[in-house]
Amino acid sequence: MTDDSFENRTRVQTGTVGHVFRIIRDRGPLNPADIVRLSGLAKSTVSVNVERLVGTGLVREETRPGSKRRRLKVDEKAGFVVGVDIGQTHLAVGLLDLEAGVLADRREGLALAELGPEAVLSRVSAIIRELAAKTGADPSHLFGIGVGVPGPVDFDHGIPVSPPVMPGWDRFPVASYLSTEFGCPAFLDNDVNVMALGERDRGSAGRQGGFLWVKVGSGIGAGIVIGGEIWRGAKGAAGDIGHIGIDGDSTLCRCGNRGCLETVAGGRAISALALEAAKDGSSPFLARELGPGTAASPELVARGAAHGDEVCLNILMDSAKAVGNVLAKLVNFWNPSLIVVGGGIASIGERYVASIREAIYRRSTPLATSELVVRKTSLGDRAGLIGAAVLVLDEIFSHRNVGRLVREDSRGGERSDQS
Amino acid sequence: MTDDSFENRTRVQTGTVGHVFRIIRDRGPLNPADIVRLSGLAKSTVSVNVERLVGTGLVREETRPGSKRRRLKVDEKAGFVVGVDIGQTHLAVGLLDLEAGVLADRREGLALAELGPEAVLSRVSAIIRELAAKTGADPSHLFGIGVGVPGPVDFDHGIPVSPPVMPGWDRFPVASYLSTEFGCPAFLDNDVNVMALGERDRGSAGRQGGFLWVKVGSGIGAGIVIGGEIWRGAKGAAGDIGHIGIDGDSTLCRCGNRGCLETVAGGRAISALALEAAKDGSSPFLARELGPGTAASPELVARGAAHGDEVCLNILMDSAKAVGNVLAKLVNFWNPSLIVVGGGIASIGERYVASIREAIYRRSTPLATSELVVRKTSLGDRAGLIGAAVLVLDEIFSHRNVGRLVREDSRGGERSDQS
């Protein structure tokens, strides 16, 4: 997002073939005339580079019955990638095509706080092999692996950095572990960042303007997207909204501060409130359901709310209101055009998202909300693994890498004929 | 900041000469070899375009005694621009060179709430003529006029949009009024946005990464800079932090909401608290000073604090703490590398900024603040007019316009030879 990277990407690193591929990937299917218009390149240059891309198998013609126009798109079957979503209480792994369409996936429970990286990553590897065997995917066509984890990440090195909810993972080389295991590139990022990427490519967001992807689950966090790219901030800490303080609240958070949003409105807070309401009898539903052997959970509270239990409903609405009040402040500051809400608790229902929306609209300025859309993710609980796949695709299909993939001559390829 | 503008700027709109000029303007003085390296252009291409720029007078060689190396920079004397800073209680107008160095300026009191646009803009015009006469500036060398106002702006049309503190200014064609009056381009933006631009070019910020420029004066607002560019948000409302709500505070704000930061910590709040402390006698200093004919003001409170009056000191520190608490939330969300504080109240002293810094560090996550710098602006009360001049320079020296200025051949000029 700096001028430096801007210059680099467009002037120094960009091979023309990478530029053409980027346009086809972002906007395709496209006919050659569209590519000429969007790229500013000469017709002959576009033609040569399209042929090179078709030659490598990365791009194919889309055939539409009855149409003679040639339309080009990424050949989504030219290979596959793996998306891994490591959550505090779940693990999801998927095989996806080169347009991040899910070919096969598996989701299972996970007690992340109790498992170190070797245990989890060897399970991840086993699932990848299982899914590959099941789908008959050719291992040599595995282009890369993307992983999202619920904590801060040093993106360049592919390692978690002091993740509070992942004891034992600090600085473990997650990306290089999987890269070595499968002999392909691997990338690691924060879970909400990858979910935001998934929404951009496969959900309802698109690449224009700015949007927020807000996860409300065991933890609370946000991915910030500007012009199609993740904004990571100075230290990769951007989007850490779960630890924004609620003025005057003194609930002690695991981070050591008091009144953090997450500790008031996150999954653990909801479970704790449910347990309390069961014990003091204020919620007949919870008192009945929360016997020995049944753990309190946001899902249980949601069931109670659906059954008309007022305490359950209030617990959820208070959580939504707290999230919405924090987002209202961020809307005044950052004025996004779209907020997408996802994660375990948000997936409970439209009513939860509606309460968030209401709080935002009540407490932001009219100008900032005049065209703001607040909606639930359309990706459901696959948001994490789809996003992790998009992360890989963004990296392996960068201008520079596409140039390499087609073995572009490094001198000739950097000539950009714009006449 | 969108992919679209990205492609447009670099592939379609960019003349090579504009690209070379941008590098010289952003990074100069530079020798030709540096320009070749930074641009990715061929040596011969750089050479041709440098000569064209020198030919038009926009670029000159810098001569350093004893050095034979040719170093190129913007010829800051090739023309001049005007920067106008319209505040709630002040008007500042300056003539600046093409590197936004102040040639002459004037600052005077202004009761903005009582004056319509014609009255203020005719005064602005008179000051411009006065300063031009005084400095002997040739009116034909006036390249453009930039204006900052304390309210939301439709930047593309150069008009204020429902500005709460500028009755009578809604949709008044400020930019075209001045453009017609002086026969040059004119641009209008929100005051904190232009102050942020000034900090980028003439202050302590630079063009890399992300930073916030926070104004604490009669009003409170922030300019958000990403990779050297202002982030305006979906509706141009980004940075409106003065109306972020403080949880639990019920002070009624002029915007109709309750507990807005500005209404708790801004200039009017400080003056109101001072008046109260004078009336109830809790501040001996204020009781003595605030007789008939003396209005309460943040400056007076600052004088009291400097004299050791505890109530005055507390009023200021409470304001700084409230600002810092809001900024702490935004630091968690956006993770900037730098926060620059300016505006009338912030200029009161280092102690005020120190209290803001302390509140941010206490209530943000350690990762987000690990390299965060919070400092007072180095531009003082000229931040607004310097920024308004930089706004003009950014616009008139865009790639497209520089291409026009040197009457570049539109076909040949868009060829980019990168071999």
Side-chain angles (χ1 to χ4, degrees):
Chain A
M1 232 2 94
T2 63
D3 272 7
D4 249 353
S5 69
F6 174 91
E7 299 299 346
N8 281 344
R9 281 187 315 202
T10 56
R11 288 273 162 186
V12 181
Q13 295 181 7
T14 309
T16 308
V17 71
H19 183 53
V20 170
F21 183 77
R22 177 175 173 161
I23 289 167
I24 294 173
R25 185 178 165 229
D26 290 358
R27 311 281 193 95
L30 289 172
N31 60 51
D34 289 333
I35 302 172
V36 168
R37 184 176 50 80
L38 291 167
S39 67
L41 294 169
K43 203 174 153 184
S44 58
T45 308
V46 167
S47 176
V48 166
N49 284 292
V50 162
E51 291 318 316
R52 295 162 87 185
L53 288 165
V54 170
T56 59
L58 285 178
V59 164
R60 69 175 173 85
E61 287 183 42
E62 187 192 49
T63 45
R64 285 189 307 172
S67 169
K68 280 190 182 167
R69 292 191 87 180
R70 191 181 185 202
R71 281 157 59 91
L72 297 149
K73 66 187 292 296
V74 168
D75 186 353
E76 72 280 9
K77 307 291 181 211
F80 70 99
V81 295
V82 166
V84 181
D85 171 21
I86 300 177
Q88 289 187 51
T89 58
H90 73 268
L91 171 65
V93 180
L95 262 50
L96 299 95
D97 68 29
L98 299 189
E99 284 185 330
V102 179
L103 303 169
D105 68 324
R106 174 189 282 270
R107 187 183 177 91
E108 56 189 40
L110 181 78
L112 184 60
E114 292 158 26
L115 294 170
E118 284 94 347
V120 173
L121 294 177
S122 72
R123 181 67 195 132
V124 166
S125 300
I127 299 177
I128 294 174
R129 293 208 168 81
E130 218 177 286
L131 294 175
K134 188 176 128 189
T135 56
D138 178 348
S140 73
H141 287 175
L142 174 55
F143 276 43
I145 301 173
V147 184
V149 291
V153 161
D154 177 339
F155 179 75
D156 292 333
H157 296 98
I159 54 174
V161 181
S162 312
V165 300
M166 304 169 71
W169 288 69
D170 185 31
R171 304 199 166 269
F172 185 88
V174 176
S176 73
Y177 177 105
L178 290 171
S179 178
T180 305
E181 186 79 11
F182 290 93
C184 67
F187 305 91
L188 180 73
D189 205 346
N190 176 263
D191 58 355
V192 275
N193 284 349
V194 307
M195 288 168 184
L197 287 177
E199 196 74 33
R200 183 199 70 189
D201 278 15
R202 302 288 303 190
S204 56
R207 287 172 184 263
Q208 306 306 309
F211 79 91
L212 294 186
W213 208 97
V214 177
K215 183 190 79 166
V216 190
S218 308
I220 297 177
I224 307 172
V225 179
I226 298 178
E229 290 179 43
I230 296 289
W231 172 256
R232 297 175 199 281
K235 300 292 291 179
D240 195 2
I241 67 169
H243 297 281
I244 287 181
I246 295 173
D247 308 315
D249 191 289
S250 60
T251 317
L252 185 66
C253 181
R254 59 185 163 77
C255 77
N257 255 318
R258 287 183 181 275
C260 293
L261 174 62
E262 189 171 301
T263 213
V264 173
R268 279 181 303 273
I270 290 173
S271 298
L273 289 169
L275 207 60
E276 217 173 276
K279 278 184 187 155
D280 67 16
S282 61
S283 159
F285 174 87
L286 291 171
R288 198 169 59 239
E289 296 286 322
L290 273 179
T294 314
S297 70
E299 290 71 23
L300 184 69
V301 178
R303 260 179 47 220
H307 279 75
D309 184 280
E310 207 173 322
V311 169
C312 287
L313 184 63
N314 286 344
I315 290 174
L316 288 181
M317 293 306 101
D318 285 351
S319 161
K321 198 177 148 187
V323 172
N325 280 341
V326 164
L327 291 178
K329 300 179 206 294
L330 305 180
V331 164
N332 274 2
F333 171 67
W334 201 64
N335 189 15
S337 55
L338 172 67
I339 296 178
V340 178
V341 186
I345 295 169
S347 70
I348 281 168
E350 182 50 45
R351 188 152 177 189
Y352 188 87
V353 178
S355 293
I356 291 179
R357 187 185 298 122
E358 197 187 306
I360 294 173
Y361 271 76
R362 198 177 48 239
R363 205 49 194 86
S364 301
T365 61
L367 184 62
T369 52
S370 63
E371 286 173 21
L372 174 67
V373 173
V374 181
R375 70 161 77 105
K376 210 172 121 176
T377 178
S378 56
L379 302 180
D381 63 8
R382 283 170 158 178
L385 68 89
I386 291 172
V390 172
L391 171 71
V392 186
L393 294 170
D394 272 10
E395 293 298 325
I396 60 178
F397 291 150
S398 68
H399 285 178
R400 188 198 285 264
N401 287 330
V402 168
R404 283 189 193 138
L405 283 170
V406 299
R407 300 179 186 286
E408 176 174 74
D409 172 78
S410 70
R411 303 301 297 171
E414 300 217 337
R415 176 178 296 269
S416 142
D417 181 354
Q418 300 187 24
S419 61
Chain B
M1 227 9 86
T2 65
D3 272 7
D4 249 353
S5 68
F6 174 92
E7 299 299 346
N8 281 343
R9 279 188 314 202
T10 55
R11 288 272 161 186
V12 181
Q13 296 181 6
T14 309
T16 308
V17 70
H19 183 53
V20 171
F21 183 76
R22 179 175 170 156
I23 289 167
I24 294 172
R25 184 178 165 227
D26 291 357
R27 310 281 192 95
L30 289 171
N31 60 50
D34 289 335
I35 301 172
V36 168
R37 183 176 52 79
L38 292 167
S39 67
L41 294 169
K43 203 174 155 186
S44 58
T45 308
V46 167
S47 175
V48 166
N49 284 292
V50 162
E51 291 319 317
R52 294 162 90 185
L53 287 165
V54 171
T56 59
L58 285 178
V59 164
R60 68 174 173 87
E61 286 184 43
E62 188 194 48
T63 45
R64 285 191 306 174
S67 169
K68 279 189 183 169
R69 291 190 89 182
R70 194 182 183 201
R71 281 159 60 92
L72 297 149
K73 66 185 293 295
V74 168
D75 186 353
E76 72 280 9
K77 307 291 181 213
F80 69 100
V81 295
V82 166
V84 180
D85 172 20
I86 300 176
Q88 289 186 52
T89 57
H90 73 267
L91 170 66
V93 180
L95 262 50
L96 299 95
D97 67 30
L98 299 188
E99 284 184 331
V102 178
L103 302 170
D105 69 324
R106 173 190 283 270
R107 187 183 176 91
E108 56 189 40
L110 182 77
L112 184 60
E114 294 158 25
L115 294 171
E118 283 94 347
V120 173
L121 294 177
S122 72
R123 180 67 195 134
V124 166
S125 300
I127 299 177
I128 294 174
R129 294 208 168 83
E130 218 177 286
L131 294 175
K134 187 176 127 189
T135 55
D138 178 349
S140 72
H141 287 175
L142 173 55
F143 275 44
I145 301 172
V147 184
V149 290
V153 161
D154 176 338
F155 179 74
D156 293 332
H157 295 97
I159 53 174
V161 181
S162 313
V165 300
M166 304 168 72
W169 287 70
D170 185 30
R171 305 199 165 269
F172 186 88
V174 175
S176 73
Y177 178 104
L178 291 170
S179 177
T180 306
E181 186 81 10
F182 289 93
C184 67
F187 305 92
L188 180 73
D189 205 345
N190 176 262
D191 58 355
V192 275
N193 283 348
V194 307
M195 288 166 182
L197 288 177
E199 197 73 32
R200 184 200 70 190
D201 278 15
R202 302 288 303 190
S204 56
R207 287 172 181 264
Q208 307 304 309
F211 78 93
L212 294 186
W213 207 97
V214 177
K215 182 190 79 166
V216 190
S218 307
I220 297 178
I224 306 172
V225 179
I226 298 177
E229 290 180 44
I230 296 290
W231 172 257
R232 296 175 198 281
K235 299 293 292 179
D240 194 2
I241 66 170
H243 297 282
I244 287 181
I246 295 174
D247 308 316
D249 190 291
S250 61
T251 317
L252 184 66
C253 180
R254 60 187 164 77
C255 77
N257 256 318
R258 288 183 181 276
C260 294
L261 174 62
E262 187 171 302
T263 213
V264 173
R268 278 181 303 273
I270 291 173
S271 297
L273 290 168
L275 207 59
E276 217 172 275
K279 277 185 187 157
D280 69 16
S282 62
S283 159
F285 174 87
L286 291 171
R288 198 169 56 240
E289 295 288 321
L290 273 178
T294 313
S297 69
E299 290 71 23
L300 183 70
V301 177
R303 260 179 48 218
H307 280 75
D309 183 281
E310 206 173 322
V311 169
C312 286
L313 184 63
N314 286 343
I315 291 174
L316 288 181
M317 293 305 102
D318 286 350
S319 161
K321 198 176 150 188
V323 172
N325 280 340
V326 164
L327 291 178
K329 300 178 205 295
L330 305 180
V331 164
N332 274 2
F333 171 68
W334 202 62
N335 190 17
S337 55
L338 171 67
I339 295 179
V340 178
V341 186
I345 295 168
S347 70
I348 280 167
E350 183 49 46
R351 186 150 179 192
Y352 188 88
V353 177
S355 293
I356 290 179
R357 188 185 297 121
E358 196 188 308
I360 294 173
Y361 271 76
R362 196 176 51 236
R363 203 52 194 84
S364 301
T365 61
L367 183 63
T369 50
S370 62
E371 287 173 21
L372 174 66
V373 173
V374 180
R375 71 160 78 103
K376 210 172 121 176
T377 179
S378 56
L379 302 180
D381 63 8
R382 282 170 159 179
L385 68 88
I386 291 171
V390 172
L391 170 71
V392 187
L393 294 169
D394 272 10
E395 293 297 325
I396 61 177
F397 291 150
S398 68
H399 285 178
R400 190 199 281 265
N401 287 331
V402 169
R404 283 190 193 139
L405 284 171
V406 299
R407 298 178 189 285
E408 176 173 76
D409 173 78
S410 69
R411 303 299 298 173
E414 301 216 338
R415 175 178 297 270
S416 142
D417 180 354
Q418 300 187 18
S419 62

